[in-house]
Amino acid sequence: RNDGVRPEGPHYGLVFHALATAGLYEDATKVFKRMLAIPGCANSIAFNIMIGIFGQRHDMDEALTLLEDMKKKGVPPDIMTYSRIVTGYVMQADFEEVLSWYDKVKAHRSKLQEAVISGSAAASSAAREDLNNMDIWNKVYGNCIDAALWLERQGTAVIVVQELLKMGGKIDPRRHGGLLRYLEPGERFEVDSAVKEKRRTEAAVEWD
């Protein structure tokens, strides 16, 4: 501004991301509010970051309000959006709420699958990208499995494991490997290569 240059959407986006990354949430919130006043400035990434900030503050009411604002502005939630919300409830140890979002996450996945088949070229491409973000799907489903176990709902945990494996996801064998014995014969899972390597390293240390 001092140089006579009027800040535009991309400038606010860069500043917002930098402030949020630095943990300067008050300043980031002010910039985000300015972004909301500029048509098309706040994209899904910005909304997701802000929802995550509210989650870290344990202010899930504001996070959910922002989710509705996101939809009203025509910015569709993606799996990262749901991950931020679920993680927010995990941070509050509100495992009932975590599980309540499991069906919403499943419904989101179903919509994405429909978009891949019958949506426009752009919608199909965006849906595929969201579906292929498996690290985040694994995280969300993993949190739902943890919530079910905390609530002593082992049957629900097994169902979530089955759904995750069915979609090609991976469970954390250290956290959830014990649930595999409840699966039907033929249902398989892949142990993450990093976990395999960690096991090999630990075994080598034990034998040294």
Side-chain angles (χ1 to χ4, degrees):
R1 287 181 184 273
N2 291 337
D3 293 332
V5 178
R6 183 180 180 83
E8 297 181 351
H11 301 119
Y12 285 107
L14 289 171
V15 172
F16 169 69
H17 190 274
L19 290 171
T21 301
L24 301 173
Y25 297 147
E26 292 293 338
D27 291 332
T29 301
K30 292 177 183 177
V31 175
F32 183 76
K33 288 179 179 178
R34 176 59 184 152
M35 291 171 66
L36 290 177
I38 303 174
C41 182
N43 58 16
S44 62
I45 295 174
F47 272 103
N48 290 342
I49 291 173
M50 197 65 227
I51 288 172
I53 288 174
F54 285 131
Q56 290 191 38
R57 289 175 166 178
H58 293 188
D59 192 348
M60 294 308 296
D61 287 340
E62 284 294 333
L64 296 181
T65 297
L66 189 56
L67 173 61
E68 292 306 311
D69 291 344
M70 182 180 185
K71 294 175 182 177
K72 289 176 183 176
K73 288 187 175 292
V75 181
D78 52 25
I79 187 55
M80 180 60 80
T81 312
Y82 289 97
S83 177
R84 299 280 188 176
I85 291 171
V86 168
T87 299
Y89 283 119
V90 168
M91 293 175 69
Q92 292 184 187
D94 192 341
F95 301 119
E96 288 285 359
E97 280 296 332
V98 171
L99 277 187
S100 76
W101 280 84
Y102 173 60
D103 286 337
K104 297 181 180 72
V105 171
K106 285 182 63 179
H108 174 65
R109 186 172 183 82
S110 295
K111 288 180 181 178
L112 292 175
Q113 291 169 330
E114 290 174 8
V116 168
I117 297 171
S118 57
S120 64
S124 178
S125 176
R128 287 183 188 278
E129 183 177 352
D130 203 13
L131 287 169
N132 289 334
N133 198 354
M134 285 308 302
D135 286 345
I136 305 303
W137 288 97
N138 289 337
K139 180 180 179 180
V140 174
Y141 274 66
N143 280 330
C144 290
I145 295 167
D146 285 338
L149 292 175
W150 271 103
L151 295 170
E152 299 183 349
R153 298 177 190 170
Q154 191 177 71
T156 300
V158 171
I159 289 172
V160 180
V161 168
Q162 288 173 320
E163 289 291 333
L164 178 58
L165 298 180
K166 208 176 292 182
M167 73 170 69
K170 296 178 181 179
I171 67 166
D172 183 338
R174 292 184 179 276
R175 288 159 58 199
H176 309 134
L179 296 170
L180 296 172
R181 64 179 179 272
Y182 298 105
L183 301 182
E184 294 294 326
E187 292 182 312
R188 302 177 60 188
F189 76 105
E190 294 182 18
V191 179
D192 185 87
S193 59
V195 176
K196 284 184 178 179
E197 181 61 32
K198 186 174 182 181
R199 284 181 175 176
R200 283 195 291 267
T201 302
E202 289 174 349
V205 170
E206 288 177 3
W207 282 100
D208 284 345

